[in-house]
Amino acid sequence: RKEVEQDPGPFNVPEGATVAFNCTYSNSASQSFFWYRQDCRKEPKLLMSVYSSGNEDGRFTAQLNRASQYISLLIRDSKLSDSATYLCVVNPPGNTPLVFGKGTRLSVIA
Amino acid sequence: ETGVTQTPRHLVMGMTNKKSLKCEQHLGHNAMYWYKQSAKKPLELMFVYSLEERVENNSVPSRFSPECPNSSHLFLHLHTLQPEDSALYLCASSQPGSYTEAFFGQGTRLTVV
C-alpha cells in the first residue's frame, strides 16, 4: 500500500449534491491527519484537521477510521466554489515529515 | 500571509541560465519541502529536509540542486533546465513530531524558454 492514497477523480457533481472522498494511509501509527484544498494555480491551504472523534465545520465533515486506516471528507450541499483539488495529509510517527496524497479533483457543476 | 515566503513569484529563464528559488519560514519548523506542480498535474514531491539534512530526494534530475543552509531557509538552484521543467514550484514547512499542519508558500511560477 502506498503511504497515502487518494482517488484522483475527477468527481463531477451537481450543485447541492453531497460528495465524499476517502484517503487511505499505510502507517498505522500515524499521529495526525489533515485535509487541504488547492485551487488552480495556487498553493494548498489547510481546510480541516482530522480528530479521532471526527469534526465538522459547516458543510464539511472529516472523520478518521483508525481500524481501517482511512480518513474521509464529506461535503454537503456542494457549491460551485467548492470546485478544487482536495489533498489528504498524514503525519507519520516520530520526527518524520508530513506525507501528502496526490489529491482528489472535485468539479461542482451548475 | 502563511509564514512561508517564496521569491521570486514569477521567473522566466533561458535553458542556459542559472537561477535560484528561495524559500523562507520563521515558524520555527524543522522540516522544509520542495514540490513541483506542472499544469493540471498533482503535486510532485522533489526534496525534503529535516533539521537541515536531506531526508528525501525523489529521483529529481541533477539540474535541480537543493540547499538548506539553516532550518529557516531553503533554496532550489536551477541550471540548464528544459522547457518541460516549466511549472509551479512550491515550498512548504512543518514541524515533525508535533500534531500541527504544514504551511505552503505562494509558489514560484517558472517558465523555461
Side-chain angles (χ1 to χ4, degrees):
Chain A
R1 177 190 273 185
K2 289 182 185 175
E3 279 197 271
V4 178
E5 201 155 6
Q6 299 182 246
D7 181 342
F11 284 62
N12 298 314
V13 303
E15 268 187 295
T18 295
V19 61
F21 312 132
N22 277 351
C23 165
T24 57
Y25 61 94
S26 60
N27 191 327
S28 60
S30 295
Q31 300 175 321
S32 53
F33 309 86
F34 309 94
W35 282 104
Y36 279 69
R37 171 194 170 127
Q38 186 180 24
D39 293 295
C40 189
R41 300 169 69 86
K42 296 282 184 69
E43 76 275 21
K45 294 186 178 176
L46 181 68
L47 177 67
M48 297 180 81
S49 301
V50 187
Y51 307 124
S52 55
S53 57
N55 54 312
E56 189 173 317
D57 183 3
R59 299 182 292 109
F60 297 84
T61 301
Q63 295 210 307
L64 167 64
N65 184 320
R66 283 198 182 272
S68 301
Q69 292 179 218
Y70 74 84
I71 64 172
S72 63
L73 178 68
L74 181 79
I75 306 175
R76 288 180 297 278
D77 188 24
S78 300
K79 311 288 184 194
L80 295 175
S81 56
D82 294 333
S83 297
T85 296
Y86 291 84
L87 298 162
C88 167
V89 181
V90 175
N91 188 6
N95 287 317
T96 311
L98 295 172
V99 182
F100 283 74
K102 299 255 182 205
T104 298
R105 200 149 55 87
L106 170 68
S107 289
V108 181
I109 305 160
Chain B
E1 178 58 52
T2 65
V4 179
T5 304
Q6 287 186 245
T7 54
R9 292 289 306 280
H10 300 271
L11 178 61
V12 179
M13 62 185 286
M15 289 189 282
T16 57
N17 290 160
K18 286 185 184 181
K19 296 285 184 184
S20 295
L21 309 186
K22 180 182 176 182
C23 177
E24 187 171 354
Q25 59 92 6
H26 295 288
L27 300 167
H29 290 168
N30 286 330
M32 295 185 78
Y33 312 69
W34 277 119
Y35 283 89
K36 173 186 177 181
Q37 190 167 36
S38 304
K40 299 188 179 180
K41 295 278 183 68
L43 287 174
E44 294 175 50
L45 180 64
M46 300 176 76
F47 302 104
V48 182
Y49 276 81
S50 184
L51 293 171
E52 298 151 47
E53 283 193 26
R54 191 187 311 180
V55 296
E56 191 151 346
N57 175 351
N58 260 7
S59 304
V60 179
S62 59
R63 58 186 184 269
F64 295 92
S65 174
E67 180 191 0
C68 188
N70 54 63
S71 58
S72 299
H73 294 86
L74 184 65
F75 295 89
L76 187 63
H77 303 299
L78 316 172
H79 176 48
T80 56
L81 295 193
Q82 305 297 312
E84 60 264 29
D85 296 323
S86 300
L88 178 68
Y89 289 84
L90 287 160
C91 172
S93 72
S94 72
Q95 184 57 15
S98 75
Y99 287 80
T100 57
E101 69 271 25
F103 292 84
F104 280 85
Q106 291 181 295
T108 295
R109 189 157 300 283
L110 174 67
T111 304
V112 182
V113 297

